[in-house]
Amino acid sequence: MSKQLEKLSIQEARKIILLSQMIPPGAKKGSSVAATLKAMEQIGYVQIDTISVIERAHHHTLWNRNPNYTNSHIDQLLKKGQLFEYWSHAAAYLPMRDYRYSLPRKLAMRSGEQKHWFARDKKLMNSILKRIASEGPLMVKDFENTGRKTKEWESKPAKKALECLFMQGELMVPFRKKFHKVYDLTERCLPKEVDQSVPTPKEHMRFIIKRFLTANGIGQLNEMVYLLKKVKPQVRETLQEMHASGEILEIKIKDSLYYTLPSALKLLDKRLNRNTAKILSPFDNLVIQRQRIKTLFDFDYLLECYVPKPKRKYGYFSLPVLWDGRLLARLDCKADRKDSVLHVFNIVLESKVSKREDFANALAKELSSFMMFNKCRTIKFHEAKPVSFKLLLEKKMVIYL
């Protein structure tokens, strides 16, 4: 295969990325649950998040790729053994077909090669394993706290032990109750047909590369190893080997080099839905690597819930908005579930927005769906920059409410 360097415009690069990320979503075939699984297997994971200002990130991310998504889909897929909970760059749901590639981290945790953030209490861990083996699935609250908590935010010993056992693969989380983990023995959770063979180091590196490029279209080494420990040299070496064999291509975007799969270039012949606006989670797979999005989408994004209030520019929980293949605005939202009101505290447009009326129409339609997704019946706008856009958006909302 030719090693000729491909050159892509920034618009072509964005198209490949968005189609790879399934956003905005295309037409769906089959059941809605099957569409959710397909999205999971394409993007590789969804991050689990505890923040519930709006619908949690894992639900929000999947809804953006499957308009018929409902929050019960994850539980259904967990029960069917088609998803599992573990660690990606953060706590995540992952497709069960990728289970074997979680084993290197688990074995490294078990051997002590990779440290857990909690110290291992082996005696307590063995005791917990025996209890779960005899009693069945248990939660943290099922274990009495006999240890002393020196600070309010420190976990009780049983929780630390459960998390150690989970991270090193002896326990799994087959489901949650009111968002609290329920732990059970791994052998009781895994479907019999799941491949449990440990990948070789080379297989594992190839998986990291192909998984990233399949989900994201194009990528650089640093992006592929984002928050992964002790794999960068091996991934670099495998990248070079895969490029030399023609299995992946090197492409140039502006003045930077990226890698892609040959099949990704065929996406340029497909249609990208540019008319639909999508309101993204701060933890959406598309935007989770902030520097990548700044470089490729010219969007400098910071989630400000961790920023002191006086220093916030956009709001506590500002959500990126995608339209016309670009990231063009931020919405600071909160779902008031008691009164069924979706508050939009702030709308800030990027200066590059030109067709404001078209954008307002697309965003109004999306906000109507987003409001219902968040189980709200009404929407209230507070501030906007520019102020004129708030008035335009309110006018458009009348059509969809």
Side-chain angles (χ1 to χ4, degrees), residues 8-18 218 253 296:
L8 296 181
S9 69
I10 193 66
Q11 290 79 17
E12 289 174 324
R14 290 171 182 170
K15 183 177 183 179
I16 288 173
I17 292 166
L18 293 173
I218 63 172
I253 302 166
L296 291 169

Side-chain angles (χ1 to χ4, degrees), residues 229-259:
K229 296 180 179 179
K230 299 181 180 179
V231 297
K232 189 172 183 178
Q234 299 98 305
V235 171
R236 180 189 288 111
E237 181 182 339
T238 307
L239 269 172
Q240 292 168 351
E241 291 171 0
M242 293 174 73
H243 177 241
S245 70
E247 195 171 353
I248 61 173
L249 304 177
E250 201 172 50
I251 57 174
K252 191 172 185 180
I253 302 166
K254 292 185 176 179
D255 295 322
S256 298
L257 294 178
Y258 288 82
Y259 292 99

Side-chain angles (χ1 to χ4, degrees), residues 37-64:
L37 178 61
K38 182 179 178 181
M40 279 287 312
E41 291 182 340
Q42 173 62 26
I43 64 176
Y45 75 93
V46 290
Q47 182 172 334
I48 302 170
D49 195 65
T50 58
I51 299 175
S52 57
V53 175
I54 57 170
E55 279 288 3
R56 298 184 195 274
H58 41 288
H59 297 309
H60 187 177
T61 299
L62 288 169
W63 176 76
N64 267 332

Side-chain angles (χ1 to χ4, degrees), residues 223-385:
E223 297 165 352
M224 296 176 197
V225 299
Y226 176 65
L227 297 184
L228 298 179
K229 296 180 179 179
K230 299 181 180 179
V231 297
K232 189 172 183 178
Q234 299 98 305
V235 171
R236 180 189 288 111
E237 181 182 339
T238 307
L239 269 172
Q240 292 168 351
E241 291 171 0
M242 293 174 73
H243 177 241
S245 70
E247 195 171 353
I248 61 173
L249 304 177
E250 201 172 50
I251 57 174
K252 191 172 185 180
I253 302 166
K254 292 185 176 179
D255 295 322
S256 298
L257 294 178
Y258 288 82
Y259 292 99
T260 192
L261 298 169
S263 57
L265 297 179
K266 297 177 184 177
L267 294 174
L268 294 173
D269 297 325
K270 292 193 173 184
R271 177 182 173 270
L272 174 66
N273 179 356
R274 296 180 177 275
N275 298 320
T276 298
K278 294 308 296 181
I279 300 166
L280 305 179
S281 165
F283 306 103
D284 192 281
N285 301 41
L286 178 66
V287 299
I288 195 63
Q289 292 199 41
R290 311 303 196 211
Q291 184 57 50
R292 173 179 165 89
I293 288 305
K294 184 176 180 181
T295 301
L296 291 169
F297 283 82
D298 190 26
F299 191 74
D300 193 1
Y301 179 58
L302 174 69
L303 177 59
E304 294 182 324
C305 63
Y306 307 114
V307 175
K309 189 173 182 179
K311 296 183 178 181
R312 291 176 195 151
K313 282 181 65 178
Y314 303 106
Y316 178 81
F317 208 65
S318 175
L319 311 175
V321 182
L322 177 77
W323 181 70
D324 192 28
R326 298 179 293 165
L327 292 164
L328 293 177
R330 304 155 208 257
L331 304 182
D332 181 29
C333 295
K334 180 179 180 180
D336 181 343
R337 295 172 179 89
K338 182 180 178 182
D339 295 328
S340 297
V341 178
L342 178 66
H343 289 277
V344 182
F345 293 118
N346 198 14
I347 308 168
V348 181
L349 268 59
E350 296 283 287
S351 59
K352 56 196 171 190
V353 179
S354 55
K355 302 175 183 178
R356 288 190 182 178
E357 185 152 350
D358 291 343
F359 178 49
N361 190 58
L363 183 55
K365 186 176 181 179
E366 171 69 358
L367 275 167
S368 176
S369 299
F370 189 65
M371 178 187 72
M372 291 185 285
F373 172 63
N374 280 279
K375 301 177 179 63
C376 294
R377 294 192 300 270
T378 58
I379 188 166
K380 183 175 181 180
F381 297 103
H382 295 257
E383 297 180 13
K385 296 177 185 177

Side-chain angles (χ1 to χ4, degrees), residues 138-144 156 162 177:
L138 295 173
M139 302 168 68
V140 172
K141 68 180 183 63
D142 297 315
F143 296 88
E144 182 183 358
K156 65 183 186 180
L162 284 162
K177 286 184 179 178

